[in-house]
Amino acid sequence: MAPDRIPPARTAPTPRARAHRVRIPRPRASARALAPLPGPTAAAAPGRRWLQALALVVVTLLGAWLGLLVVGTVKVPVGPMDTRMALTPSASGGTRVDVSPLGALSLDSHRAPVRLDVDVDRLDPVRAQALVAHPERLSGLQDEVARDVRHGAVELGVRSCVAVVTGAAALGLLVYRRPRPALLASGLALALLAASGGTAWATWNPKSVLEPRFSGLLSSAPAVVGDARSIVTEFDVYSRELARLVTNVTKLYDVTSTLPVYQPDPSTVRVLHVSDIHLNPAAWPIVASLVEQYDIDVIIDSGDTMDHGSAAENAFLDPVADLGAPYVWVRGNHDSATTQKYLGDTKRFKNVRVLDEGRVVTVAGLRVAGTGDPQYTPDRTAERGGRAAEKAAGIKLAYEIRQQDEPVDIAVAHDPNAARETDGAVPLALAGHLHHREQEILPGGTRLRIEGSTGGSGLRAVEGEHPDPVQTSVLYLDKDTHRLQAWDEITLGGLGLSSAEVSRHIAGENQPGASPGPTGSGAAGPPAHR
């Protein structure tokens, strides 16, 4: 018989086994446990807020610009023309009038981050014919145009507000997909537009129309219009003459000599200032055309007509005899004594007056004194005197001017360092040498005008990557007082470039509302010579 089985004794569970069967409750999360820990994450929150604000500004600006681009243009009839007006973001502001295909007219009308663009679409034949049929309406054309522009500006302002608000809100919704950021963007856009409008209003310059910058075929506008005095006192004539430009659709470089002929005011003397031609044969046709177009009374050349001053270059000067106006010339540092002797031959050049050592000539009613450059730099065997030599030449020129029984109106030297020494002896001094324009009122009251290169720095311009522009200026002097009234700065594209710009400037004392005399920043110098 098998032995009985004895069941195993029950033993108490060990602590480890008991632990496996005990459920430990999971603690619930508390607000304190969810709070962010102090450290870099919390410190970076202000930085994130700045980034979010910057992103909102970017969205606002981009949306406002897109709104202006899409729906911010208004069509406005201005006189006999149909125009389109629009506001464009700009760093410098101002107004640009585009008369395609003639060119553009730029005005420094205001300083604000928006520019007013006016595109002249077409000349309405019905309204134009009405003006032709009733020429008496021309007397009120200026008021009509001003009224049309005001109405257009109001409509443009309202449409621009709607455009920037709509554009900023639409882009804000697209980016954030929430209404609150979109509303913030639209409000910010409206505030920016209002601030820009306020800045434009505060900086509005109504005199900017007196000093426009012309480009393209409109560069002939100052020649067509007349002298500065007519612009100031007969603005209605100025407006009508500008309107006539739309009939002249030609290419400037191809038919330069057939541009509208300037009708000179008999009360002005017109001086063409050229300098630093540097043996560029293209300069002579340009000078001849300007002499005819502006009815120039005298040409003043402040030197460096040649490049090396050799006798072989003398034939380059032959066209001077046929320019159609007296030609006053001083020697530059690239013009030799051989050059001066050739140009001073009165049998060959009956219209040329060579000035040196303070010589004074009277031409077109003006008394002009000048001196040649004391240095001839192509001759490397000669020691250069530098600025000291130029100043000494200028001192001698000023001395000779002061010894004259009658006042001298203009002093001419090639180097500006020499011309500056005539300060106080003449109202106007002319120079060149720098190959770019500068102007300053010297301490003694003399206005110094430095002309750029009328030859586009000569044939050497092909050596550079960008050709220098061709620069010259027409100076308008009062026939009675011999004081400078205004000047046109003419800039043509350099070699291989077909561009043109004419910028009209009026002496500060001749601006409307300015006090007469040599006071203020625009003063022209000592008391007028009679």
Side-chain angles (χ1 to χ4, degrees), residues 263-287:
Q263 301 298 325
D265 187 320
S267 67
T268 61
V269 180
R270 292 158 302 284
V271 177
L272 179 64
H273 183 198
V274 303
S275 189
D276 296 86
I277 293 176
H278 281 290
L279 215 65
N280 188 351
W284 299 130
I286 294 173
V287 172

Side-chain angles (χ1 to χ4, degrees), residues 40-295:
T41 304
R48 285 200 302 270
R49 286 196 293 269
W50 278 107
L51 289 177
Q52 292 171 355
L54 180 61
L56 181 63
V57 171
V58 172
V59 169
T60 300
L61 293 176
L62 184 57
W65 179 78
L66 290 175
L68 288 175
L69 189 64
V70 175
V71 295
T73 302
V74 297
K75 293 185 177 181
V76 181
V78 177
M81 297 173 293
D82 292 332
T83 69
R84 287 179 297 125
M85 295 184 179
L87 294 179
T88 303
S90 171
S92 57
T95 300
R96 178 179 175 86
V97 182
D98 189 5
V99 188
S100 180
L102 299 179
L105 171 68
S106 300
L107 304 174
D108 291 328
S109 57
H110 62 276
R111 297 289 181 183
V114 289
R115 184 185 71 205
L116 175 61
D117 289 340
V118 181
D119 292 339
V120 178
D121 285 341
R122 68 188 185 99
L123 188 66
D124 184 83
V126 176
R127 297 198 298 269
Q129 183 61 36
L131 285 177
V132 173
H134 301 281
E136 67 276 5
R137 291 181 55 187
L138 286 174
S139 59
L141 181 60
Q142 179 183 343
D143 295 334
E144 179 184 348
V145 168
R147 185 169 57 254
D148 292 341
V149 170
R150 282 196 298 270
H151 290 165
V154 172
E155 183 179 352
L156 177 62
V158 173
R159 182 178 285 263
S160 297
C161 290
V162 175
V164 299
V165 169
T166 304
L171 189 60
L173 280 175
L174 184 63
V175 173
Y176 294 103
R177 301 187 182 277
R178 288 183 291 132
R180 184 179 179 184
L183 289 176
L184 286 176
S186 61
L188 181 58
L190 186 60
L192 289 175
L193 182 63
S196 299
T199 304
W201 179 270
T203 59
W204 181 257
N205 177 22
K207 299 178 183 178
S208 61
V209 72
L210 300 175
E211 298 188 2
R213 295 188 304 277
F214 303 90
S215 60
L217 282 173
L218 288 182
S219 59
S220 64
V224 178
V225 172
D227 72 294
R229 178 177 300 173
S230 297
I231 294 177
V232 175
T233 61
E234 302 177 23
F235 185 76
D236 57 336
V237 177
Y238 178 70
S239 303
R240 291 200 301 271
E241 294 293 343
L242 279 180
R244 289 173 51 190
L245 290 172
V246 299
T247 63
N248 185 16
V249 184
T250 53
K251 291 185 178 180
L252 179 66
Y253 263 46
D254 293 341
V255 288
T256 308
S257 61
T258 63
L259 287 175
V261 178
Y262 168 68
Q263 301 298 325
D265 187 320
S267 67
T268 61
V269 180
R270 292 158 302 284
V271 177
L272 179 64
H273 183 198
V274 303
S275 189
D276 296 86
I277 293 176
H278 281 290
L279 215 65
N280 188 351
W284 299 130
I286 294 173
V287 172
S289 176
L290 292 173
V291 167
E292 180 180 358
Q293 178 182 341
Y294 285 81
D295 196 16

